[in-house]
Every structure is written in structure tokens, then in C-alpha cells.
């Protein structure tokens, strides 16, 4: 249970920083979200290939997120990582849903143990079978606070997959320094 508590504390830090770590002068840029988003096709396991720096998972490796159907409105989220310093597995459970009646990839997520409100989780582009580019942004004063992830279906994605995702990243002007997530030496497939 301690592992869950540690990850929950890290998640609280995430929401306490307005769901973002990459600070950009000015307001959140306009981005193009996935149209005709198909939630059932998005479900399943995704591995974190790269992300913007975040305080809530500074030493995470073997990071994955598994989305499963809960009901017609909500899906369950199971975030998993291994702490690179302690080699302890950490799990955070939550839920997500589409944030509007449109067919866009604008999702909202929540991790109840954090006590925070729902956060944005926008799918900028996905082919459902190999990559997903995810983004979140909040305006704070004269700057925007952003998070971005490149998720892949494989721990070690192909160059073709990375190239397809890079097109989405470039088209949306994501200019943060992405950190590649260590997916080596993972103890098991969570």
C-alpha cells in the first residue's frame, strides 16, 4: 500500500502544478485534436515512449497506462511505473471520459485518491494501433503550463511509428524538450 501512496502523492504534485511542467510564455497554443475519436479502439495498454518533464514522475521507468472499459461513459485508468531509484512498482488508479458530446479526442481524467478535479487529456493524434500523442495545457497569468506524452503500443516502437507521431508533434508546435522514458529491464508486463 505504501507504493500506491507514494504514487498518489506524486499525482497530487502533478495536479497542484496545474497539470503541467513545461512553461511557455503566452497562452496555450491552438492544437488540432483527433477527430472521430473512437474510445473502444483506444482502450488497452500504452507505453510511455517520451514526455515533457514532470515533477510527479521524475524517476519513473517502465511507465505504462492501461485503459479498460468501465461503462458507456467512463473508462478505467491504471498507470504503472517502476521507481528507478528504489526499483519499487507504483500504481495509480483513475478514470476518464470524453469531455464533450462531440467526437473529438478531448478527454478528461481523474485520479480520486489525489482529491483534485478532473484534468484535460487531449489526444492530438493516434492511429490506435501504434502511437498516441497526448497534450494538456493550462493558462496561468501570462504563461501556459503544458504536459505532453508520446505513447506507443510497443515498449520499443519502430522508427516508422516514431516518424508518424513526430508529424503530429510538429504540426501542433510542441516544442518542449521531450525526455525518453527508460523501458529497459522492466520486471514484467503490468
Amino acid at each position: 500500500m505504501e507504493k500506491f501512496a507514494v504514487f498518489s502523492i506524486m499525482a497530487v504534485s502533478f495536479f497542484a502544478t496545474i497539470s503541467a511542467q513545461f512553461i511557455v510564455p503566452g497562452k496555450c497554443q491552438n492544437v488540432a485534436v483527433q477527430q472521430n475519436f473512437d474510445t473502444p479502439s483506444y482502450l488497452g495498454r500504452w507505453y510511455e515512449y517520451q514526455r515533457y518533464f514532470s515533477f510527479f514522475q521524475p524517476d519513473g521507468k517502465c511507465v505504462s497506462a492501461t485503459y479498460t472499459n468501465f461503462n458507456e461513459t467512463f473508462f478505467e485508468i491504471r498507470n504503472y511505473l517502476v521507481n528507478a531509484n528504489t526499483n519499487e512498482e507504483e500504481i495509480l488508479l483513475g478514470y476518464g471520459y470524453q469531455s464533450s458530446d462531440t467526437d473529438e479526442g478531448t478527454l478528461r481524467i481523474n485520479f480520486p485518491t489525489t482529491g483534485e478535479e478532473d484534468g484535460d487529456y487531449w489526444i492530438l493524434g493516434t492511429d490506435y494501433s501504434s502511437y498516441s500523442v497526448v497534450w494538456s495545457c493550462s493558462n496561468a497569468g501570462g504563461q501556459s503550463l503544458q504536459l505532453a506524452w508520446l505513447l506507443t503500443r510497443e515498449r520499443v516502437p519502430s522508427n516508422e511509428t516514431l516518424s508518424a507521431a513526430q508529424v503530429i508533434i510538429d504540426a501542433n508546435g510542441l516544442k518542449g524538450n521531450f525526455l525518453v522514458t527508460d523501458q529497459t529491464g522492466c520486471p514484467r508486463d503490468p
Side-chain angles (χ1 to χ4, degrees), residues 46-51 125-127 129-133 149-171 174 178-181 183:
W46 291 95
Y47 296 99
E48 181 184 89
Y49 177 75
Q50 65 184 19
R51 63 178 167 79
T126 184
D127 67 355
S129 62
S130 64
Y131 73 87
S132 177
V133 177
W149 297 268
L150 169 53
L151 306 177
T152 58
R153 291 289 192 183
E154 302 292 327
R155 276 196 195 278
V156 181
S158 69
N159 287 335
E160 180 181 69
T161 294
L162 297 177
S163 293
Q166 192 63 48
V167 169
I168 303 297
I169 290 168
D170 292 343
L174 303 185
F178 280 90
L179 304 172
V180 175
T181 303
Q183 290 285 356

Side-chain angles (χ1 to χ4, degrees), residues 36-112:
N36 303 312
F37 184 73
D38 181 11
T39 302
S41 294
Y42 196 76
L43 299 177
R45 181 170 296 128
W46 291 95
Y47 296 99
E48 181 184 89
Y49 177 75
Q50 65 184 19
R51 63 178 167 79
Y52 284 176
F53 173 79
S54 59
F55 290 109
F56 67 94
Q57 75 179 86
D59 298 318
K61 70 176 208 167
C62 303
V63 180
S64 69
T66 303
Y67 306 98
T68 54
N69 196 28
F70 182 67
N71 61 36
E72 291 182 23
T73 305
F74 294 95
F75 56 90
E76 292 179 322
I77 304 169
R78 181 182 184 271
N79 284 349
Y80 170 90
L81 66 77
V82 173
N83 184 305
N85 293 323
T86 65
N87 215 30
E88 296 288 324
E89 294 176 312
E90 301 172 6
I91 295 170
L92 181 63
L93 303 175
Y95 65 87
Y97 58 93
Q98 246 174 318
S99 63
S100 69
D101 292 333
T102 68
D103 61 354
E104 295 180 336
T106 54
L107 308 179
R108 303 279 289 166
I109 60 170
N110 187 294
F111 296 94

